[in-house]
Amino acid sequence: MYRILTLEAKKKMELSKRHYVDSKRIDIFQNAEIIRTLVREHLGLELTGEQILAHMYRIKNYHYSNNRKISEEEEKVRKYLIAKGYNIETSLNWLKATLLPEELKEKLANKELSMHQSFRVKKNLDDRRKANIGLEIIELGKEIVDELVTNLRN
């Protein structure tokens, strides 16, 4: 069974191939900047990195599950990214990579870590930081209780 491709299908394949090759040549952070400018242009707002990430999460959830409603502007962004050959989840990961700490960004840019590994390292660092804060709160609570007990005895 041979399938004859229409002219439109051939153009889409060429565009997809070209985009794939071009995206491999450009590093993650350049791709993220391209996505960021596309989102800003289509939403018409000056957004921070975390706000753009929130919009992209909504677009991703809508794109893959259709359970959520998104605004018209977000739908335009989704359609535009798809038309340009960008994968929604990959675009989201590129934007997440821009919010990593500098040392992880360097390792990611030098290909010492994969994107997935760098996200795990960041999560571990955040978990450790939160655990340390929790331990400090417990220690402060113990000191306060000890002070109250000694004041009540005197």
Side-chain angles (χ1 to χ4, degrees), residues 12 15-24 26-39 41-42 56 59-60 63-64 76-95:
K12 281 185 179 180
L15 179 67
S16 178
K17 277 183 189 177
R18 191 171 347 118
H19 172 71
Y20 179 78
V21 170
D22 290 345
S23 69
K24 287 297 180 185
I26 301 173
D27 74 347
I28 292 167
F29 302 107
Q30 287 176 333
N31 275 328
E33 192 57 39
I34 291 168
I35 299 297
R36 185 178 289 123
T37 55
L38 290 175
V39 171
E41 286 173 3
H42 277 74
M56 285 299 292
I59 291 169
K60 179 193 145 220
H63 181 72
Y64 289 109
K76 286 179 188 174
V77 170
R78 185 183 79 83
K79 286 181 179 177
Y80 188 75
L81 289 174
I82 291 169
K84 287 291 188 178
Y86 288 102
N87 182 312
I88 302 293
E89 191 159 359
T90 304
S91 302
L92 177 66
N93 285 336
W94 290 336
L95 291 171

Side-chain angles (χ1 to χ4, degrees), residues 46-96:
E46 190 60 36
L47 302 170
T48 64
E50 291 176 0
Q51 291 170 330
I52 290 175
L53 204 59
H55 283 286
M56 285 299 292
Y57 269 115
R58 281 197 294 276
I59 291 169
K60 179 193 145 220
N61 288 336
Y62 175 79
H63 181 72
Y64 289 109
S65 67
N66 277 337
N67 289 340
R68 295 192 97 170
K69 298 290 182 200
I70 58 174
S71 67
E72 289 180 24
E73 292 84 10
E74 289 172 339
E75 178 64 21
K76 286 179 188 174
V77 170
R78 185 183 79 83
K79 286 181 179 177
Y80 188 75
L81 289 174
I82 291 169
K84 287 291 188 178
Y86 288 102
N87 182 312
I88 302 293
E89 191 159 359
T90 304
S91 302
L92 177 66
N93 285 336
W94 290 336
L95 291 171
K96 282 175 23 182

Side-chain angles (χ1 to χ4, degrees), residues 25 32 65 81 90 102 125 128 132-133 140 148:
R25 289 185 191 138
S65 67
L81 289 174
T90 304
E102 288 301 320
L125 291 172
R128 245 190 266 151
N132 287 339
I133 290 171
L140 287 172
L148 288 174

